[in-house]
């Protein structure tokens, strides 16, 4: 293909992120993308659509700052947390010179965004209990500008120990930023590192409305950091990154009524997660790992076979890089019941 040859070598050789949406499937039960099962109603106004939006709508920034317990100067909004990842790499990593470091198994977009910008990636796997391997990270910090840590971690579901995050922040002070991806933190807000922002100028936190706020389709995320970092990110962001209707909807989601709804839905999903965890743990040969987000990582005797059978029957889950594990998003009670019943039936047959 003549045109393909024109593309950058890196891009020609890249495999795009295998998002749940991209992988397709057809079915009635979709528990593969850590989406919320709740579709909430919003009012949309069309009277300002002929005008560009402001770069960082004050009303939205203030609403999220109030929710997160930080000041407006410490908040940047972007097209999902995914764009936050990209902006950080673009602002802090010199292509072909600097690196990012991340700890697999974890979210795949850190590596893909880095590759796209010709930034090297270093990996230091999580320990056997999915915590940070601090000595190995220390040994691999040369040329590293950003260390990505996901907590609750996707796909394992566990939290990273706070004292390890503090040790990492100390270890990287003056050399690199620590980016804590808190995409799922609204399911366990007490575990947030947001209070550490005042102590650590090299801490960055990623947030999103895609999960607990049930707005994955809105594409609205936030980066929380000290003002100096936010100002740098604002240099590389597109001029009008937040569509007008996105601001309108996000502000409604962050209003007192919106927040109350989210809180209620988080409680509901936590109950469903407990239901799934209890039901699956009772099955012989099945291990359910403790999960703090809206998903569970579950180990089965033959995960691949089970995954395919579920897929063929319209129950779409997510394969995981962790051996013999499937990631199951927590859906509504009906979806959880049907999925559990189907798996129970399958395992009894084998
Ligand atoms: N971080 C993690 C850990 C995620 O799982 C996701 C969603 N797939 C994101 C970031 C991106 O979220 P957003 O929808 O806000 O781009």
């Amino acid at each position: 293909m003549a045109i393909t040859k024109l593309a950058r070598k890196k891009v020609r050789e890249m495999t795009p992120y295998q998002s749940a949406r991209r992988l397709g499937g057809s079915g009635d039960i979709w528990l593969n993308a850590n989406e919320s099962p709740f579709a909430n109603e919003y009012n949309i106004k069309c009277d300002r659509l002929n005008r560009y939006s402001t770069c960082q709508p004050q009303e939205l920034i203030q609403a999220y700052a109030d929710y997160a317990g930080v000041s407006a100067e410490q908040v940047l909004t972007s097209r999902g947390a995914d764009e936050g990842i990209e902006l950080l790499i673009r602002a802090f990593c010199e292509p072909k010179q600097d690196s990012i470091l991340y700890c697999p198994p974890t979210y795949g977009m850190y590596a893909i965004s880095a590759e796209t910008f010709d930034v090297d990636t270093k990996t230091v796997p999580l320990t056997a209990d999915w915590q940070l391997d601090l000595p190995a990270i220390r040994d691999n910090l040369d040329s590293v500008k950003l260390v990505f840590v996901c907590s609750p971690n996707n796909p394992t579901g566990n939290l990273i120990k706070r004292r390890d995050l503090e040790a990492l922040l100390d270890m990287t002070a003056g050399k690199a930023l620590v980016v804590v991806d808190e995409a799922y933190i609204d399911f366990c807000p007490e575990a947030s590192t947001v209070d550490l922002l005042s102590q650590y100028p090299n801490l960055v936190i990623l947030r999103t409305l895609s999960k607990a706020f049930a707005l994955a389709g809105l594409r609205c995320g936030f980066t929380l950091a000290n003002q100096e970092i936010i100002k740098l990110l604002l240099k590389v962001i597109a001029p009008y990154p937040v569509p007008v209707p996105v601001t309108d909807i996000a502000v409604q989601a962050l209003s007192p009524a919106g927040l109350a709804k989210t809180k209620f839905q988080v409680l509901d999903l936590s109950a469903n997660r407990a239901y799934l965890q209890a039901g699956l743990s009772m099955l012989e040969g099945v291990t359910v790992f403790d999960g703090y987000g809206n998903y569970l990582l579950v180990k089965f005797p033959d995960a691949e076979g089970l995954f395919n059978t579920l897929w063929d029957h319209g129950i779409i889950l997510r394969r995981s890089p962790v051996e013999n594990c499937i990631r199951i998003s927590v859906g509504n009670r009906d979806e959880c019941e049907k999925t559990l019943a189907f798996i129970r039936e399958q395992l009894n047959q084998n």
Side-chain angles (χ1 to χ4, degrees), residues 34 38 70 139-140 147 179 191 214 220 222 303:
N34 293 349
F38 302 107
V70 297
D139 290 346
N140 279 281
V147 180
V179 184
C220 185
F222 300 90

Side-chain angles (χ1 to χ4, degrees), residues 264-300:
F264 177 79
Q265 293 177 348
V266 162
L267 286 173
D268 198 333
L269 291 174
S270 301
N272 292 351
R273 184 181 65 204
Y275 165 84
L276 257 188
Q277 171 151 30
L280 289 166
S281 321
M282 279 195 273
L283 305 176
E284 215 177 291
V286 175
T287 308
V288 187
F289 298 100
D290 282 341
Y292 292 83
N294 61 338
Y295 54 95
L296 287 170
L297 191 71
V298 188
K299 190 167 189 173
F300 295 100

Side-chain angles (χ1 to χ4, degrees), residues 23-302:
L23 288 167
S26 71
D28 308 318
I29 299 186
W30 292 87
L31 299 179
N32 63 341
N34 293 349
E35 295 155 335
S36 170
F38 302 107
N40 300 314
E41 298 279 334
Y42 294 96
N43 300 317
I44 300 179
K45 294 196 300 277
C46 296
D47 58 336
R48 283 187 298 135
L49 291 177
N50 56 320
R51 303 289 175 195
Y52 283 115
S53 57
T54 40
C55 177
Q56 294 287 295
Q58 193 51 37
E59 201 189 354
L60 174 58
I61 294 291
Q62 191 60 55
Y64 200 83
D66 292 346
Y67 168 68
V70 297
S71 71
E73 293 71 37
Q74 294 174 303
V75 180
L76 175 125
T77 182
S78 60
R79 182 183 11 86
D82 278 341
E83 192 186 14
I85 297 170
E86 246 181 59
L87 295 174
L88 284 160
I89 293 173
R90 272 165 49 203
F92 286 92
C93 298
E94 206 68 71
K96 297 190 173 128
Q97 188 177 315
D98 295 333
S99 317
I100 67 153
L101 187 151
Y102 65 96
C103 306
T106 192
Y107 185 47
M109 279 309 293
Y110 316 134
I112 292 187
S113 287
E115 271 179 42
T116 322
F117 296 114
D118 260 327
V119 167
D120 281 338
T121 55
K122 294 192 182 193
T123 54
V124 175
L126 294 172
T127 59
D129 57 351
W130 294 326
Q131 291 297 324
L132 298 178
D133 185 344
L134 288 170
I137 292 177
R138 186 190 299 274
D139 290 346
N140 279 281
L141 280 179
D142 276 357
S143 82
V144 168
K145 287 287 190 65
L146 300 171
V147 180
F148 285 92
V149 179
C150 188
S151 181
N153 187 39
N154 179 6
T156 56
N158 64 294
L159 293 169
I160 302 299
K161 287 181 193 151
R162 185 181 165 94
R163 64 168 186 279
D164 287 358
L165 287 170
E166 288 172 311
L168 181 62
L169 283 158
D170 284 325
M171 185 193 292
T172 52
K175 286 184 284 197
L177 304 185
V178 174
V179 184
V180 182
D181 186 340
E182 294 191 343
Y184 299 95
I185 204 70
D186 315 282
F187 296 99
C188 51
E190 63 290 348
S192 175
T193 51
V194 74
D195 60 298
L196 295 178
L197 281 175
S198 56
Q199 275 173 63
Y200 292 99
N202 60 328
L203 172 61
V204 180
I205 297 169
L206 295 172
R207 298 283 191 89
T208 181
L209 298 186
S210 296
K211 310 298 175 182
F213 285 88
L215 286 169
L218 191 66
R219 311 306 300 126
C220 185
F222 300 90
T223 302
L224 312 180
N226 287 300
Q227 196 177 7
E228 203 180 337
I229 296 176
I230 299 295
K231 279 186 175 164
L232 289 162
L233 298 179
L234 284 171
K235 288 187 172 187
V236 298
I237 200 166
Y240 312 108
V242 191
V244 170
V246 168
T247 300
D248 286 349
I249 292 173
V251 166
Q252 290 170 56
L254 292 163
S255 69
L259 291 174
K261 186 174 278 182
T262 293
K263 205 169 189 176
F264 177 79
Q265 293 177 348
V266 162
L267 286 173
D268 198 333
L269 291 174
S270 301
N272 292 351
R273 184 181 65 204
Y275 165 84
L276 257 188
Q277 171 151 30
L280 289 166
S281 321
M282 279 195 273
L283 305 176
E284 215 177 291
V286 175
T287 308
V288 187
F289 298 100
D290 282 341
Y292 292 83
N294 61 338
Y295 54 95
L296 287 170
L297 191 71
V298 188
K299 190 167 189 173
F300 295 100
D302 171 20

